C-alpha cells in the first residue's frame, strides 16, 4: 500500500549510480531538481536525470523546485522520469502542464509549499496522478518535520476521497521512522525519505522498515478503511 521514495538529495553526489542501486528495493527514486531561483539551492538537471535513468531500474520521481516548469517539465519526461512534480506556486497553466506530462507518458504531480492551501486546487485534482504536500520548506534536505502540516494532509485526503479519485498523496520533508506513522495516519501513502534512508547503515533495510511502518499504519487508518 505504502510507497517509499528515497531522495538522492541526501545521497553522495559523487557516487550517484551506486547510491541509486543501494535502494533498488524502493518504489521510486526521488530526484530533487532546484534552480537557485524558486528555492535558494542549486542541485542537478536534465543531464543527470538522463544518466540516472540509465543507471537504475528504479523509476525516477522528479520533483521540480524551479521557475517556469511549464517550459521545462516535459523535458524531464523525455530525460527518463516516470513521474514529474511541478509546484503550484510556479506553474502558469497547471492543468495544461499536467496534461502535457501525461501525454508524454509520465505521471503528473503537483506540489504545494507549506503555506499554500489545498482548497483552491480542488477542481484540478482529477488532472493529477499525485499531490505532494511539502512537510518542510523546499530547498534543503535534513530539515525537521513540520507537524502543523498534518491537518493539511488530512484535508487533502478528504478531498481525494470526496471525489473518488485514485490519486496518490505524497509527503516530502523530515520523513523518518519517528514521523512516517503520523503522515500515514493523516492520509499520505507515498513517502519521500532522504536522511532517514541514506543516513542509515543499510539504506535498503531502511526502506523496508519505513514501508512496514507505513503499511501497518495505513491498514488501520480510518481513511484507508473507508477507501
Amino acid at each position: 500500500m505504502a510507497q517509499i521514495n528515497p531522495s538522492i538529495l541526501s545521497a553522495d553526489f559523487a557516487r550517484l549510480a551506486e547510491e541509486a542501486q543501494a535502494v533498488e528495493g524502493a518504489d521510486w527514486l526521488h530526484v530533487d531538481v532546484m534552480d537557485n531561483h524558486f528555492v535558494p539551492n542549486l542541485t542537478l538537471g536534465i543531464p543527470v536525470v538522463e544518466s540516472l535513468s540509465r543507471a537504475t531500474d528504479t523509476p525516477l520521481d522528479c520533483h521540480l523546485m524551479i521557475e517556469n516548469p511549464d517550459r521545462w517539465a516535459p523535458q524531464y519526461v523525455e530525460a527518463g522520469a516516470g513521474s514529474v512534480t511541478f509546484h503550484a506556486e510556479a506553474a502558469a497553466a497547471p492543468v495544461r502542464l499536467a496534461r502535457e506530462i501525461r501525454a508524454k507518458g509520465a505521471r503528473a504531480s503537483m506540489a504545494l509549499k507549506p503555506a499554500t492551501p489545498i482548497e483552491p486546487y480542488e477542481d484540478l485534482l482529477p488532472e493529477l496522478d499525485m499531490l505532494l504536500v511539502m512537510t518542510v520548506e523546499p530547498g534543503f534536505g535534513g530539515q525537521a518535520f513540520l507537524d502543523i502540516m498534518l491537518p493539511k494532509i488530512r484535508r487533502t485526503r478528504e478531498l481525494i476521497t470526496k471525489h473518488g479519485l485514485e490519486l496518490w498523496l505524497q509527503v516530502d520533508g523530515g520523513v523518518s521512522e519517528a514521523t512516517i506513522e503520523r503522515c500515514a495516519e493523516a492520509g499520505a501513502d507515498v513517502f519521500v525519505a532522504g536522511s532517514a534512508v541514506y543516513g542509515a547503515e543499510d539504506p535498503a533495510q531502511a526502506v523496508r522498515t519505513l514501508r512496514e511502518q507505513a503499511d501497518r499504519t495505513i491498514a488501520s487508518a480510518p481513511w484507508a478503511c473507508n477507501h
Side-chain angles (χ1 to χ4, degrees), residues 28-29 31 49-50 52-53 56 58-62 79-84:
W28 296 78
L29 188 64
V31 182
V49 171
E50 289 176 337
L52 272 173
S53 70
T56 179
T58 307
L60 303 183
D61 167 31
C62 286
S83 176
V84 177

Side-chain angles (χ1 to χ4, degrees), residues 1-216:
M1 289 181 287
Q3 299 184 63
I4 306 299
N5 301 9
S7 170
I8 63 163
L9 185 63
S10 297
D12 181 349
F13 274 28
R15 302 169 52 248
L16 280 186
E18 295 169 55
E19 296 282 64
Q21 291 157 11
V23 293
E24 284 196 333
D27 298 281
W28 296 78
L29 188 64
H30 191 80
V31 182
D32 287 304
V33 177
M34 307 183 194
D35 64 358
N36 205 30
H37 294 284
F38 181 70
V39 291
N41 196 3
L42 185 65
T43 54
L44 44 81
I46 290 169
V48 175
V49 171
E50 289 176 337
S51 296
L52 272 173
S53 70
R54 293 192 296 269
T56 179
D57 292 330
T58 307
L60 303 183
D61 167 31
C62 286
H63 176 192
L64 307 185
M65 288 167 272
I66 63 174
E67 292 182 350
N68 198 9
D70 302 75
R71 174 184 177 187
W72 295 109
Q75 295 185 40
Y76 281 87
V77 183
E78 295 167 5
S83 176
V84 177
T85 300
F86 58 88
H87 266 266
E89 303 87 358
V95 171
R96 183 175 65 200
L97 179 55
R99 289 180 178 179
E100 188 173 357
I101 291 169
R102 280 176 156 180
K104 285 185 174 290
R107 295 178 63 86
S109 171
M110 186 173 73
L112 303 176
K113 294 169 72 173
T116 304
I118 178 60
E119 288 78 8
Y121 298 98
E122 179 178 354
D123 292 342
L124 276 65
L125 296 181
E127 301 288 342
L128 303 170
D129 298 295
M130 183 169 72
L131 194 289
L132 166 56
V133 172
M134 291 298 298
T135 44
V136 298
E137 289 292 342
F140 294 93
Q143 297 184 63
F145 178 80
L146 295 174
D147 280 280
I148 56 171
M149 291 298 103
L150 291 171
K152 182 175 172 181
I153 297 169
R154 288 193 180 91
R155 292 195 303 273
T156 304
R157 174 54 67 184
E158 287 166 3
L159 290 177
I160 293 170
T161 302
K162 171 185 171 183
H163 293 284
L165 301 173
E166 294 296 323
L167 181 66
W168 296 351
L169 177 49
Q170 185 180 65
V171 288
D172 180 4
V175 174
S176 67
E177 289 183 34
T179 60
I180 194 168
E181 292 178 11
R182 276 177 276 165
C183 295
E185 190 278 331
D189 54 7
V190 183
F191 307 87
V192 177
S195 307
V197 171
Y198 282 111
E201 265 188 49
D202 184 343
Q205 180 57 48
V207 169
R208 290 192 290 271
T209 299
L210 289 169
R211 188 186 287 116
E212 288 166 8
Q213 282 185 274
D215 276 342
R216 189 167 58 246

